[in-house]
mmCIF file of all heavy atoms in Angstrom:
data_model
loop_
_atom_site.group_PDB
_atom_site.id
_atom_site.type_symbol
_atom_site.label_atom_id
_atom_site.label_comp_id
_atom_site.label_asym_id
_atom_site.label_seq_id
_atom_site.Cartn_x
_atom_site.Cartn_y
_atom_site.Cartn_z
ATOM 1 N N MET A 1162 18.010 -19.080 -7.434
ATOM 2 C CA MET A 1162 17.314 -17.988 -8.059
ATOM 3 C C MET A 1162 16.914 -16.992 -6.969
ATOM 4 O O MET A 1162 16.450 -17.376 -5.902
ATOM 5 C CB MET A 1162 16.075 -18.506 -8.789
ATOM 6 C CG MET A 1162 15.263 -17.394 -9.396
ATOM 7 S SD MET A 1162 13.823 -17.986 -10.281
ATOM 8 C CE MET A 1162 14.601 -18.480 -11.795
ATOM 9 N N TYR A 1163 17.095 -15.729 -7.241
ATOM 10 C CA TYR A 1163 16.747 -14.663 -6.310
ATOM 11 C C TYR A 1163 15.740 -13.724 -6.969
ATOM 12 O O TYR A 1163 15.777 -13.518 -8.180
ATOM 13 C CB TYR A 1163 17.984 -13.850 -5.910
ATOM 14 C CG TYR A 1163 18.979 -14.660 -5.142
ATOM 15 C CD1 TYR A 1163 20.066 -15.225 -5.780
ATOM 16 C CD2 TYR A 1163 18.823 -14.851 -3.787
ATOM 17 C CE1 TYR A 1163 20.994 -15.970 -5.087
ATOM 18 C CE2 TYR A 1163 19.746 -15.598 -3.082
ATOM 19 C CZ TYR A 1163 20.825 -16.157 -3.733
ATOM 20 O OH TYR A 1163 21.727 -16.890 -3.034
ATOM 21 N N ALA A 1164 14.880 -13.172 -6.159
ATOM 22 C CA ALA A 1164 13.917 -12.202 -6.663
ATOM 23 C C ALA A 1164 13.777 -11.070 -5.656
ATOM 24 O O ALA A 1164 13.759 -11.311 -4.452
ATOM 25 C CB ALA A 1164 12.569 -12.848 -6.899
ATOM 26 N N ILE A 1165 13.711 -9.883 -6.148
ATOM 27 C CA ILE A 1165 13.479 -8.712 -5.302
ATOM 28 C C ILE A 1165 12.128 -8.122 -5.710
ATOM 29 O O ILE A 1165 11.901 -7.822 -6.875
ATOM 30 C CB ILE A 1165 14.597 -7.673 -5.457
ATOM 31 C CG1 ILE A 1165 15.915 -8.267 -5.007
ATOM 32 C CG2 ILE A 1165 14.255 -6.425 -4.653
ATOM 33 C CD1 ILE A 1165 17.100 -7.368 -5.254
ATOM 34 N N ILE A 1166 11.250 -7.990 -4.745
ATOM 35 C CA ILE A 1166 9.909 -7.495 -5.024
ATOM 36 C C ILE A 1166 9.669 -6.239 -4.200
ATOM 37 O O ILE A 1166 9.928 -6.227 -3.003
ATOM 38 C CB ILE A 1166 8.847 -8.560 -4.683
ATOM 39 C CG1 ILE A 1166 9.099 -9.817 -5.505
ATOM 40 C CG2 ILE A 1166 7.456 -8.034 -4.911
ATOM 41 C CD1 ILE A 1166 8.260 -10.991 -5.093
ATOM 42 N N ASP A 1167 9.174 -5.205 -4.832
ATOM 43 C CA ASP A 1167 8.827 -3.973 -4.128
ATOM 44 C C ASP A 1167 7.383 -4.088 -3.659
ATOM 45 O O ASP A 1167 6.449 -3.945 -4.432
ATOM 46 C CB ASP A 1167 9.005 -2.778 -5.046
ATOM 47 C CG ASP A 1167 8.647 -1.468 -4.372
ATOM 48 O OD1 ASP A 1167 8.569 -1.442 -3.132
ATOM 49 O OD2 ASP A 1167 8.454 -0.476 -5.077
ATOM 50 N N CYS A 1168 7.201 -4.379 -2.376
ATOM 51 C CA CYS A 1168 5.847 -4.582 -1.835
ATOM 52 C C CYS A 1168 5.248 -3.304 -1.271
ATOM 53 O O CYS A 1168 4.114 -3.328 -0.808
ATOM 54 C CB CYS A 1168 5.881 -5.650 -0.757
ATOM 55 S SG CYS A 1168 6.209 -7.283 -1.408
ATOM 56 N N ASP A 1169 5.991 -2.207 -1.275
ATOM 57 C CA ASP A 1169 5.451 -0.965 -0.723
ATOM 58 C C ASP A 1169 4.175 -0.551 -1.439
ATOM 59 O O ASP A 1169 3.187 -0.208 -0.812
ATOM 60 C CB ASP A 1169 6.480 0.166 -0.828
ATOM 61 C CG ASP A 1169 7.576 0.013 0.199
ATOM 62 O OD1 ASP A 1169 7.355 -0.694 1.195
ATOM 63 O OD2 ASP A 1169 8.637 0.602 0.001
ATOM 64 N N ASN A 1170 4.207 -0.592 -2.740
ATOM 65 C CA ASN A 1170 3.047 -0.135 -3.500
ATOM 66 C C ASN A 1170 2.015 -1.248 -3.713
ATOM 67 O O ASN A 1170 0.913 -0.982 -4.161
ATOM 68 C CB ASN A 1170 3.497 0.431 -4.838
ATOM 69 C CG ASN A 1170 2.616 1.560 -5.294
ATOM 70 O OD1 ASN A 1170 1.687 1.961 -4.618
ATOM 71 N ND2 ASN A 1170 2.902 2.063 -6.464
ATOM 72 N N CYS A 1171 2.345 -2.476 -3.367
ATOM 73 C CA CYS A 1171 1.425 -3.600 -3.553
ATOM 74 C C CYS A 1171 0.176 -3.434 -2.703
ATOM 75 O O CYS A 1171 -0.940 -3.627 -3.185
ATOM 76 C CB CYS A 1171 2.133 -4.896 -3.200
ATOM 77 S SG CYS A 1171 1.064 -6.348 -3.287
ATOM 78 N N TYR A 1172 0.337 -3.085 -1.437
ATOM 79 C CA TYR A 1172 -0.825 -2.913 -0.561
ATOM 80 C C TYR A 1172 -1.692 -1.750 -1.018
ATOM 81 O O TYR A 1172 -2.916 -1.803 -0.937
ATOM 82 C CB TYR A 1172 -0.385 -2.694 0.884
ATOM 83 C CG TYR A 1172 0.254 -3.908 1.508
ATOM 84 C CD1 TYR A 1172 1.598 -3.907 1.853
ATOM 85 C CD2 TYR A 1172 -0.486 -5.050 1.747
ATOM 86 C CE1 TYR A 1172 2.191 -5.016 2.421
ATOM 87 C CE2 TYR A 1172 0.086 -6.168 2.314
ATOM 88 C CZ TYR A 1172 1.431 -6.149 2.648
ATOM 89 O OH TYR A 1172 2.015 -7.237 3.210
ATOM 90 N N VAL A 1173 -1.057 -0.701 -1.526
ATOM 91 C CA VAL A 1173 -1.815 0.443 -2.041
ATOM 92 C C VAL A 1173 -2.601 0.026 -3.279
ATOM 93 O O VAL A 1173 -3.768 0.387 -3.437
ATOM 94 C CB VAL A 1173 -0.871 1.623 -2.346
ATOM 95 C CG1 VAL A 1173 -1.606 2.741 -3.042
ATOM 96 C CG2 VAL A 1173 -0.222 2.128 -1.067
ATOM 97 N N SER A 1174 -1.997 -0.761 -4.147
ATOM 98 C CA SER A 1174 -2.699 -1.238 -5.346
ATOM 99 C C SER A 1174 -3.896 -2.100 -4.975
ATOM 100 O O SER A 1174 -4.953 -2.012 -5.601
ATOM 101 C CB SER A 1174 -1.745 -2.038 -6.222
ATOM 102 O OG SER A 1174 -0.704 -1.214 -6.688
ATOM 103 N N CYS A 1175 -3.747 -2.920 -3.932
ATOM 104 C CA CYS A 1175 -4.871 -3.749 -3.475
ATOM 105 C C CYS A 1175 -6.000 -2.881 -2.935
ATOM 106 O O CYS A 1175 -7.175 -3.172 -3.163
ATOM 107 C CB CYS A 1175 -4.399 -4.723 -2.407
ATOM 108 S SG CYS A 1175 -3.276 -5.977 -3.027
ATOM 109 N N GLU A 1176 -5.666 -1.824 -2.221
ATOM 110 C CA GLU A 1176 -6.706 -0.921 -1.713
ATOM 111 C C GLU A 1176 -7.439 -0.236 -2.861
ATOM 112 O O GLU A 1176 -8.651 -0.054 -2.815
ATOM 113 C CB GLU A 1176 -6.090 0.141 -0.798
ATOM 114 C CG GLU A 1176 -5.710 -0.376 0.568
ATOM 115 C CD GLU A 1176 -6.907 -0.753 1.414
ATOM 116 O OE1 GLU A 1176 -7.942 -0.053 1.347
ATOM 117 O OE2 GLU A 1176 -6.821 -1.747 2.124
ATOM 118 N N ARG A 1177 -6.708 0.113 -3.913
ATOM 119 C CA ARG A 1177 -7.330 0.804 -5.047
ATOM 120 C C ARG A 1177 -8.249 -0.113 -5.844
ATOM 121 O O ARG A 1177 -9.174 0.353 -6.500
ATOM 122 C CB ARG A 1177 -6.259 1.393 -5.951
ATOM 123 C CG ARG A 1177 -5.625 2.606 -5.349
ATOM 124 C CD ARG A 1177 -4.610 3.207 -6.268
ATOM 125 N NE ARG A 1177 -4.111 4.457 -5.720
ATOM 126 C CZ ARG A 1177 -2.959 4.985 -6.041
ATOM 127 N NH1 ARG A 1177 -2.189 4.379 -6.925
ATOM 128 N NH2 ARG A 1177 -2.576 6.116 -5.500
ATOM 129 N N VAL A 1178 -8.011 -1.421 -5.802
ATOM 130 C CA VAL A 1178 -8.904 -2.361 -6.482
ATOM 131 C C VAL A 1178 -10.275 -2.331 -5.824
ATOM 132 O O VAL A 1178 -11.309 -2.318 -6.496
ATOM 133 C CB VAL A 1178 -8.319 -3.791 -6.465
ATOM 134 C CG1 VAL A 1178 -9.356 -4.823 -6.868
ATOM 135 C CG2 VAL A 1178 -7.107 -3.879 -7.369
ATOM 136 N N PHE A 1179 -10.293 -2.318 -4.488
ATOM 137 C CA PHE A 1179 -11.561 -2.351 -3.762
ATOM 138 C C PHE A 1179 -12.175 -0.976 -3.566
ATOM 139 O O PHE A 1179 -13.367 -0.863 -3.298
ATOM 140 C CB PHE A 1179 -11.372 -3.032 -2.405
ATOM 141 C CG PHE A 1179 -10.978 -4.480 -2.528
ATOM 142 C CD1 PHE A 1179 -9.697 -4.885 -2.211
ATOM 143 C CD2 PHE A 1179 -11.885 -5.422 -2.995
ATOM 144 C CE1 PHE A 1179 -9.331 -6.207 -2.333
ATOM 145 C CE2 PHE A 1179 -11.527 -6.748 -3.126
ATOM 146 C CZ PHE A 1179 -10.246 -7.143 -2.792
ATOM 147 N N ARG A 1180 -11.357 0.077 -3.684
ATOM 148 C CA ARG A 1180 -11.858 1.451 -3.523
ATOM 149 C C ARG A 1180 -11.402 2.303 -4.699
ATOM 150 O O ARG A 1180 -10.413 3.027 -4.616
ATOM 151 C CB ARG A 1180 -11.308 2.073 -2.228
ATOM 152 C CG ARG A 1180 -11.645 1.359 -0.956
ATOM 153 C CD ARG A 1180 -12.697 2.038 -0.117
ATOM 154 N NE ARG A 1180 -12.801 3.457 -0.203
ATOM 155 C CZ ARG A 1180 -12.340 4.309 0.718
ATOM 156 N NH1 ARG A 1180 -11.710 3.873 1.774
ATOM 157 N NH2 ARG A 1180 -12.530 5.596 0.571
ATOM 158 N N PRO A 1181 -12.071 2.238 -5.846
ATOM 159 C CA PRO A 1181 -11.641 2.986 -7.030
ATOM 160 C C PRO A 1181 -11.693 4.502 -6.841
ATOM 161 O O PRO A 1181 -11.076 5.232 -7.603
ATOM 162 C CB PRO A 1181 -12.604 2.545 -8.124
ATOM 163 C CG PRO A 1181 -13.566 1.613 -7.530
ATOM 164 C CD PRO A 1181 -13.207 1.383 -6.104
ATOM 165 N N ASP A 1182 -12.400 4.983 -5.832
ATOM 166 C CA ASP A 1182 -12.438 6.420 -5.583
ATOM 167 C C ASP A 1182 -11.093 6.952 -5.096
ATOM 168 O O ASP A 1182 -10.869 8.157 -5.087
ATOM 169 C CB ASP A 1182 -13.534 6.760 -4.565
ATOM 170 C CG ASP A 1182 -13.330 6.074 -3.225
ATOM 171 O OD1 ASP A 1182 -13.027 4.861 -3.222
ATOM 172 O OD2 ASP A 1182 -13.470 6.747 -2.197
ATOM 173 N N LEU A 1183 -10.165 6.067 -4.736
ATOM 174 C CA LEU A 1183 -8.838 6.486 -4.275
ATOM 175 C C LEU A 1183 -7.841 6.688 -5.411
ATOM 176 O O LEU A 1183 -6.723 7.129 -5.164
ATOM 177 C CB LEU A 1183 -8.281 5.451 -3.294
ATOM 178 C CG LEU A 1183 -9.069 5.279 -1.995
ATOM 179 C CD1 LEU A 1183 -8.478 4.150 -1.174
ATOM 180 C CD2 LEU A 1183 -9.093 6.568 -1.207
ATOM 181 N N ASN A 1184 -8.218 6.363 -6.643
ATOM 182 C CA ASN A 1184 -7.301 6.533 -7.780
ATOM 183 C C ASN A 1184 -6.925 7.999 -7.942
ATOM 184 O O ASN A 1184 -7.768 8.885 -7.873
ATOM 185 C CB ASN A 1184 -7.943 6.019 -9.067
ATOM 186 C CG ASN A 1184 -7.988 4.521 -9.111
ATOM 187 O OD1 ASN A 1184 -7.205 3.848 -8.445
ATOM 188 N ND2 ASN A 1184 -8.897 3.983 -9.884
ATOM 189 N N GLY A 1185 -5.637 8.248 -8.137
ATOM 190 C CA GLY A 1185 -5.153 9.608 -8.341
ATOM 191 C C GLY A 1185 -4.908 10.370 -7.059
ATOM 192 O O GLY A 1185 -4.581 11.549 -7.106
ATOM 193 N N LYS A 1186 -5.043 9.719 -5.902
ATOM 194 C CA LYS A 1186 -4.806 10.376 -4.615
ATOM 195 C C LYS A 1186 -3.650 9.688 -3.907
ATOM 196 O O LYS A 1186 -3.476 8.478 -4.028
ATOM 197 C CB LYS A 1186 -6.055 10.280 -3.732
ATOM 198 C CG LYS A 1186 -7.265 10.956 -4.308
ATOM 199 C CD LYS A 1186 -8.464 10.754 -3.411
ATOM 200 C CE LYS A 1186 -9.707 11.366 -4.059
ATOM 201 N NZ LYS A 1186 -10.914 11.069 -3.275
ATOM 202 N N PRO A 1187 -2.848 10.442 -3.148
ATOM 203 C CA PRO A 1187 -1.795 9.793 -2.361
ATOM 204 C C PRO A 1187 -2.425 8.989 -1.225
ATOM 205 O O PRO A 1187 -3.383 9.423 -0.600
ATOM 206 C CB PRO A 1187 -0.967 10.958 -1.820
ATOM 207 C CG PRO A 1187 -1.839 12.148 -1.942
ATOM 208 C CD PRO A 1187 -2.814 11.881 -3.029
ATOM 209 N N ILE A 1188 -1.897 7.795 -0.991
ATOM 210 C CA ILE A 1188 -2.474 6.880 -0.003
ATOM 211 C C ILE A 1188 -1.379 6.380 0.932
ATOM 212 O O ILE A 1188 -0.280 6.069 0.503
ATOM 213 C CB ILE A 1188 -3.130 5.672 -0.687
ATOM 214 C CG1 ILE A 1188 -4.214 6.123 -1.650
ATOM 215 C CG2 ILE A 1188 -3.698 4.697 0.326
ATOM 216 C CD1 ILE A 1188 -4.764 4.995 -2.478
ATOM 217 N N CYS A 1189 -1.706 6.275 2.221
ATOM 218 C CA CYS A 1189 -0.881 5.590 3.209
ATOM 219 C C CYS A 1189 -1.708 4.460 3.796
ATOM 220 O O CYS A 1189 -2.846 4.668 4.187
ATOM 221 C CB CYS A 1189 -0.460 6.520 4.343
ATOM 222 S SG CYS A 1189 0.835 7.645 3.907
ATOM 223 N N VAL A 1190 -1.122 3.265 3.845
ATOM 224 C CA VAL A 1190 -1.778 2.125 4.475
ATOM 225 C C VAL A 1190 -1.098 1.915 5.815
ATOM 226 O O VAL A 1190 0.113 1.734 5.891
ATOM 227 C CB VAL A 1190 -1.665 0.857 3.601
ATOM 228 C CG1 VAL A 1190 -2.294 -0.327 4.294
ATOM 229 C CG2 VAL A 1190 -2.311 1.084 2.252
ATOM 230 N N LEU A 1191 -1.883 1.950 6.888
ATOM 231 C CA LEU A 1191 -1.354 1.822 8.248
ATOM 232 C C LEU A 1191 -1.487 0.395 8.751
ATOM 233 O O LEU A 1191 -2.370 -0.346 8.330
ATOM 234 C CB LEU A 1191 -2.095 2.768 9.194
ATOM 235 C CG LEU A 1191 -2.050 4.249 8.840
ATOM 236 C CD1 LEU A 1191 -2.914 5.038 9.814
ATOM 237 C CD2 LEU A 1191 -0.628 4.760 8.860
ATOM 238 N N SER A 1192 -0.617 0.034 9.719
ATOM 239 C CA SER A 1192 -0.738 -1.277 10.350
ATOM 240 C C SER A 1192 -1.919 -1.266 11.319
ATOM 241 O O SER A 1192 -2.551 -0.233 11.544
ATOM 242 C CB SER A 1192 0.556 -1.641 11.070
ATOM 243 O OG SER A 1192 0.804 -0.713 12.092
ATOM 244 N N ASN A 1193 -2.204 -2.393 11.915
ATOM 245 C CA ASN A 1193 -3.436 -2.551 12.689
ATOM 246 C C ASN A 1193 -3.566 -1.602 13.876
ATOM 247 O O ASN A 1193 -4.424 -0.745 13.889
ATOM 248 C CB ASN A 1193 -3.582 -3.982 13.165
ATOM 249 C CG ASN A 1193 -4.023 -4.892 12.055
ATOM 250 O OD1 ASN A 1193 -4.626 -4.453 11.096
ATOM 251 N ND2 ASN A 1193 -3.711 -6.160 12.173
ATOM 252 N N ASN A 1194 -2.771 -1.757 14.911
ATOM 253 C CA ASN A 1194 -3.033 -1.012 16.139
ATOM 254 C C ASN A 1194 -1.905 -0.092 16.583
ATOM 255 O O ASN A 1194 -2.025 0.559 17.611
ATOM 256 C CB ASN A 1194 -3.351 -1.979 17.281
ATOM 257 C CG ASN A 1194 -4.663 -2.670 17.085
ATOM 258 O OD1 ASN A 1194 -5.607 -2.065 16.595
ATOM 259 N ND2 ASN A 1194 -4.734 -3.941 17.443
ATOM 260 N N ASP A 1195 -0.812 -0.053 15.853
ATOM 261 C CA ASP A 1195 0.294 0.769 16.324
ATOM 262 C C ASP A 1195 0.569 2.008 15.469
ATOM 263 O O ASP A 1195 1.394 2.812 15.813
ATOM 264 C CB ASP A 1195 1.571 -0.067 16.473
ATOM 265 C CG ASP A 1195 1.917 -0.808 15.200
ATOM 266 O OD1 ASP A 1195 1.257 -0.589 14.182
ATOM 267 O OD2 ASP A 1195 2.872 -1.609 15.244
ATOM 268 N N GLY A 1196 -0.126 2.161 14.358
ATOM 269 C CA GLY A 1196 -0.003 3.366 13.560
ATOM 270 C C GLY A 1196 1.193 3.447 12.648
ATOM 271 O O GLY A 1196 1.489 4.515 12.114
ATOM 272 N N TRP A 1197 1.915 2.364 12.435
ATOM 273 C CA TRP A 1197 3.040 2.363 11.520
ATOM 274 C C TRP A 1197 2.552 2.347 10.080
ATOM 275 O O TRP A 1197 1.581 1.681 9.752
ATOM 276 C CB TRP A 1197 3.924 1.133 11.759
ATOM 277 C CG TRP A 1197 4.718 1.223 13.010
ATOM 278 C CD1 TRP A 1197 4.347 0.776 14.233
ATOM 279 C CD2 TRP A 1197 6.003 1.805 13.162
ATOM 280 N NE1 TRP A 1197 5.337 1.033 15.146
ATOM 281 C CE2 TRP A 1197 6.366 1.673 14.513
ATOM 282 C CE3 TRP A 1197 6.899 2.422 12.297
ATOM 283 C CZ2 TRP A 1197 7.571 2.137 15.018
ATOM 284 C CZ3 TRP A 1197 8.094 2.891 12.793
ATOM 285 C CH2 TRP A 1197 8.426 2.749 14.145
ATOM 286 N N VAL A 1198 3.236 3.074 9.215
ATOM 287 C CA VAL A 1198 2.907 3.086 7.790
ATOM 288 C C VAL A 1198 3.566 1.864 7.139
ATOM 289 O O VAL A 1198 4.778 1.716 7.199
ATOM 290 C CB VAL A 1198 3.402 4.387 7.111
ATOM 291 C CG1 VAL A 1198 3.175 4.321 5.620
ATOM 292 C CG2 VAL A 1198 2.717 5.581 7.721
ATOM 293 N N VAL A 1199 2.768 0.977 6.544
ATOM 294 C CA VAL A 1199 3.306 -0.207 5.898
ATOM 295 C C VAL A 1199 3.407 -0.034 4.390
ATOM 296 O O VAL A 1199 4.157 -0.752 3.747
ATOM 297 C CB VAL A 1199 2.483 -1.467 6.226
ATOM 298 C CG1 VAL A 1199 2.714 -1.916 7.640
ATOM 299 C CG2 VAL A 1199 1.022 -1.266 5.966
ATOM 300 N N ALA A 1200 2.658 0.893 3.819
ATOM 301 C CA ALA A 1200 2.714 1.132 2.377
ATOM 302 C C ALA A 1200 2.278 2.549 2.101
ATOM 303 O O ALA A 1200 1.466 3.122 2.810
ATOM 304 C CB ALA A 1200 1.827 0.144 1.631
ATOM 305 N N ARG A 1201 2.852 3.103 1.034
ATOM 306 C CA ARG A 1201 2.464 4.452 0.634
ATOM 307 C C ARG A 1201 2.596 4.565 -0.872
ATOM 308 O O ARG A 1201 3.341 3.823 -1.505
ATOM 309 C CB ARG A 1201 3.316 5.507 1.308
ATOM 310 C CG ARG A 1201 4.748 5.488 0.842
ATOM 311 C CD ARG A 1201 5.537 6.644 1.407
ATOM 312 N NE ARG A 1201 6.882 6.670 0.886
ATOM 313 C CZ ARG A 1201 7.232 7.198 -0.267
ATOM 314 N NH1 ARG A 1201 6.327 7.752 -1.034
ATOM 315 N NH2 ARG A 1201 8.478 7.166 -0.684
ATOM 316 N N SER A 1202 1.843 5.485 -1.430
ATOM 317 C CA SER A 1202 1.974 5.771 -2.855
ATOM 318 C C SER A 1202 2.607 7.142 -3.021
ATOM 319 O O SER A 1202 2.578 7.955 -2.104
ATOM 320 C CB SER A 1202 0.604 5.734 -3.538
ATOM 321 O OG SER A 1202 -0.196 6.780 -3.072
ATOM 322 N N ASN A 1203 3.156 7.382 -4.169
ATOM 323 C CA ASN A 1203 3.805 8.695 -4.427
ATOM 324 C C ASN A 1203 2.800 9.777 -4.697
ATOM 325 O O ASN A 1203 1.734 9.584 -5.122
ATOM 326 C CB ASN A 1203 4.765 8.568 -5.604
ATOM 327 C CG ASN A 1203 5.929 7.691 -5.268
ATOM 328 O OD1 ASN A 1203 6.301 7.574 -4.116
ATOM 329 N ND2 ASN A 1203 6.491 7.059 -6.265
#
């Protein structure tokens, strides 16, 4: 069995659960110390 999961928006959804003020705004989630974007919303 194979599964393909789109995790790009998963981290953004988790941030929106804890910060409801971010709903309706574009969000980028960065990695810890190197500044890479790990998730983004449209």
Side-chain angles (χ1 to χ4, degrees):
M1162 177 179 280
Y1163 295 97
I1165 298 174
I1166 301 171
D1167 180 17
C1168 291
D1169 285 340
N1170 213 2
C1171 176
Y1172 292 113
V1173 173
S1174 296
C1175 292
E1176 285 292 322
R1177 286 182 174 157
V1178 167
F1179 296 109
R1180 301 255 331 257
D1182 60 315
L1183 296 175
N1184 286 337
K1186 298 177 184 174
I1188 302 172
C1189 284
V1190 177
L1191 302 176
S1192 62
N1193 284 336
N1194 291 323
D1195 54 7
W1197 287 91
V1198 174
V1199 287
R1201 68 173 184 83
S1202 66
N1203 293 333

